Amino acid sequence: MMHWGSWSAFFSMGGYAFYVWFSFGITAVSLFIEVIALRNRRSEAIRLSRLLAQN
Amino acid sequence: MHINWFKYSSPQTFYPLAGKMIPWFYGLAVLFALAGLYVSFALAPTDFQQGEAYRIIFVHVPAAWMSMFIYIVMAGWAAFGLALNARLSAMMAQALAPTGAMFTFLALVTGSLWGKPMWGTWWVWDARLTSELILLFLYLGFIALQSAIDDPRRSDRAGAVLALVGVVNVPIIYFSVKWWNTLHQGSTISMTAAPKMVTIMLLGMLFMALAFWMYSIAVALVRVRCIILERERSTEWVKNLFGEEK
């Protein structure tokens, strides 16, 4: 850590831990959910296309 | 090198091409995100006024940029689809909407999380915040309208008209901090003046914006491939694609 004295100083974000980590956290979670949702949509689309093609 | 772009304007030829591009854009997104997070947390100094809370800027501003940028690109594809009756263009517009809505939501939530410690309130009805909220409703309206109309050609046309009308909101968001007296601060970066911020902070925002940009391209390509399959399921080429692998 460049200018953080310790890991605990880093995690506490100068008293703004909740706001800073919530912001970065919700961003990461949203992107993750979108990727997973798309993965499910894709496998469903492939499953139906295959079903239609092979019958 | 001569590339025949029209060759890629049909869903059939674009489908495999998009598939090849996706891992590259995901890879670039991860690289830029790592660089952006490193700058945001390890290199960028503490702000003399806002302490560490200002670090929210590294997700808030790039998310807000993407929310507006994706809308303009989406409306552009929708217009192209409307004017040329191009299926793939309309599908691209449809593929961008959920990602644009997500970045708008993130801009609002991270803004709220920044507003609380700095302004003492989660929300105010000032011009910047209100116009960004309207942007979220425009995205949701576009998605709802498209899914409410069964006939794809009609739903593409209806969606395109809505997307185009909504474009007026984007300059309103962008200039709202100049036109009205807002609680929201003015632009950190102006296209005409020198940036009012430390270069390293600017670099962090730039890396995060690039990460979001590359990510958006990757997920939009994944989604447009889903839309292509869902819409063209009963065509010969999709049947040939999935019929062989028995």
Side-chain angles (χ1 to χ4, degrees):
Chain A
M1 294 289 106
M2 295 293 156
H3 63 272
W4 308 94
S6 63
W7 280 105
S8 69
F10 173 69
F11 288 120
S12 73
M13 277 290 144
Y16 294 111
F18 171 76
Y19 304 103
V20 174
W21 296 124
F22 200 142
S23 294
F24 281 82
I26 197 164
T27 305
V29 167
S30 302
L31 303 190
F32 183 72
I33 290 174
E34 187 178 31
V35 170
I36 296 302
L38 276 174
R39 179 160 296 188
N40 293 340
R41 182 171 176 179
R42 175 160 170 74
S43 49
E44 181 64 10
I46 288 174
R47 192 184 67 82
L48 288 173
S49 302
R50 202 167 275 159
L51 211 66
L52 210 65
Q54 295 173 1
N55 287 310
Chain B
M1 191 174 66
H2 176 76
I3 299 168
N4 182 6
W5 293 104
F6 285 102
K7 192 182 150 217
Y8 294 109
S9 64
S10 87
Q12 180 178 356
T13 42
F14 188 68
Y15 183 85
L17 176 72
K20 280 187 204 116
M21 295 193 292
I22 289 161
W24 293 97
F25 285 109
Y26 267 138
L28 284 170
V30 171
L31 288 180
F32 280 124
L34 290 174
L37 289 170
Y38 182 71
V39 174
S40 307
F41 286 109
L43 299 185
T46 306
D47 186 75
F48 78 102
Q49 271 181 322
Q50 302 197 358
E52 308 299 349
Y54 93 92
R55 288 182 202 277
I56 294 171
I57 203 173
F58 296 117
V59 278
H60 174 70
V61 171
W65 282 345
M66 289 313 295
S67 74
M68 293 184 279
F69 180 65
I70 290 177
Y71 193 92
I72 291 170
V73 176
M74 180 184 93
W77 281 119
F80 209 64
L82 194 64
L84 300 178
N85 209 3
R87 279 179 302 163
L88 187 60
S89 304
M91 291 181 193
M92 284 301 294
Q94 212 186 331
L96 283 164
T99 305
M102 185 197 70
F103 279 118
T104 313
F105 166 78
L106 287 175
L108 288 166
V109 172
T110 57
S112 198
L113 285 160
W114 198 2
K116 184 63 184 167
M118 291 302 132
W119 304 337
T121 178
W122 300 103
W123 182 263
V124 281
W125 291 100
D126 88 357
R128 174 53 72 79
L129 280 72
T130 309
S131 53
E132 183 75 10
L133 184 65
I134 291 171
L135 184 69
L136 180 63
F137 293 149
L138 282 169
Y139 275 121
L140 298 179
F142 177 86
I143 295 165
L145 185 64
Q146 287 247 291
S147 61
I149 304 172
D150 284 330
D151 175 26
R153 297 216 158 230
R154 281 191 58 216
S155 91
D156 285 347
R157 251 176 280 151
V161 172
L162 176 72
L164 285 170
V165 171
V167 163
V168 291
N169 189 46
V170 174
I172 293 177
I173 300 172
Y174 190 80
F175 293 110
S176 57
V177 286
K178 268 193 195 154
W179 292 345
W180 291 283
N181 192 7
T182 53
L183 184 56
H184 193 284
Q185 68 188 66
S187 308
T188 320
I189 296 168
S190 154
M191 287 180 208
T192 49
K196 306 178 193 75
M197 100 190 283
V198 188
T199 314
I200 194 74
M201 293 183 181
L202 207 63
L203 194 68
M205 274 163 52
L206 208 65
F207 279 147
M208 292 302 278
L210 283 168
F212 286 173
W213 194 0
M214 296 302 116
Y215 167 87
S216 301
I217 297 175
V219 290
L221 289 175
V222 175
R223 191 175 289 114
V224 83
R225 269 160 63 94
C226 294
I227 296 169
I228 289 172
L229 288 186
E230 287 158 8
R231 283 203 188 180
E232 314 234 320
R233 196 169 282 151
S234 43
T235 60
E236 269 321 297
W237 77 268
V238 175
K239 283 185 176 167
N240 288 336
L241 195 63
F242 292 100
E244 292 159 3
E245 35 175 272
K246 275 181 195 174

